[in-house]
């Protein structure tokens, strides 16, 4: 399923969607950026509560399909600009990482 369809189906908040046609293939949940950088795989949906600029760098290096910020986390303008510049799909949800992962089960 592509990221645009995923965002619609799950009712996610769209912060940045420059590559809406990226296919999502699996899920990775993590907040320790160095851990995510070494373990998240290309095309996965990354769920986190981290919202600093380094999330965009790690998402780019890991080549994830999108980042979903859980638990109502929001982002500042500089992070949105970086996400758009680097082609990072950035979404949000009020739900917990666990709840989001359950909804993604069977979709990606």
């Amino acid at each position: 399923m592509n990221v645009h369809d995923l965002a619609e189906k799950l009712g996610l908040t769209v912060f940045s969607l420059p590559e809406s046609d990226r296919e999502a293939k699996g899920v990775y949940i993590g907040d320790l950026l160095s851990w995510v950088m070494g373990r998240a795989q290309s095309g996965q949906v990354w769920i986190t509560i981290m919202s600093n600029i380094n999330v965009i760098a790690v998402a780019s290096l890991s080549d994830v399909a999108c980042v979903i910020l859980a638990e109502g986390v929001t982002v500042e303008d500089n992070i949105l600009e970086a996400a758009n510049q680097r082609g990072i799909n950035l979404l949000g949800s009020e739900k917990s990482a666990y709840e989001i992962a359950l909804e993604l089960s069977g979709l990606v």
Side-chain angles (χ1 to χ4, degrees):
M1 176 173 287
N2 71 38
V3 175
H4 176 267
D5 293 344
L6 194 70
E8 279 192 356
K9 187 163 184 94
L10 299 183
L12 301 172
T13 301
V14 174
F15 295 118
S16 173
L17 203 57
E19 293 191 14
S20 62
D21 60 342
R22 282 285 309 263
E23 287 297 315
K25 303 177 248 174
V27 177
Y28 191 84
I29 302 171
D31 299 317
L32 185 58
L33 298 180
S34 60
W35 196 266
V36 173
M37 193 167 46
R39 288 174 173 77
Q41 297 179 16
S42 178
Q44 286 185 320
V45 173
W46 172 23
I47 306 170
T48 184
I49 58 166
M50 299 294 293
S51 66
N52 63 47
I53 194 72
N54 294 327
V55 167
I56 303 306
V58 171
S60 181
L61 288 169
S62 300
D63 191 38
V64 294
C66 67
V67 178
I68 300 176
L69 302 176
E71 300 189 24
V73 170
T74 60
V75 293
E76 296 178 6
D77 289 340
N78 66 323
I79 296 168
L80 293 178
E81 288 174 32
N84 281 313
Q85 288 174 353
R86 293 191 181 180
I88 303 300
N89 296 315
L90 189 58
L91 309 167
S93 176
E94 295 293 324
K95 297 175 182 171
S96 71
Y98 175 73
E99 291 170 311
I100 297 165
L102 285 177
E103 290 182 352
L104 289 168
S105 178
L107 298 177
V108 296

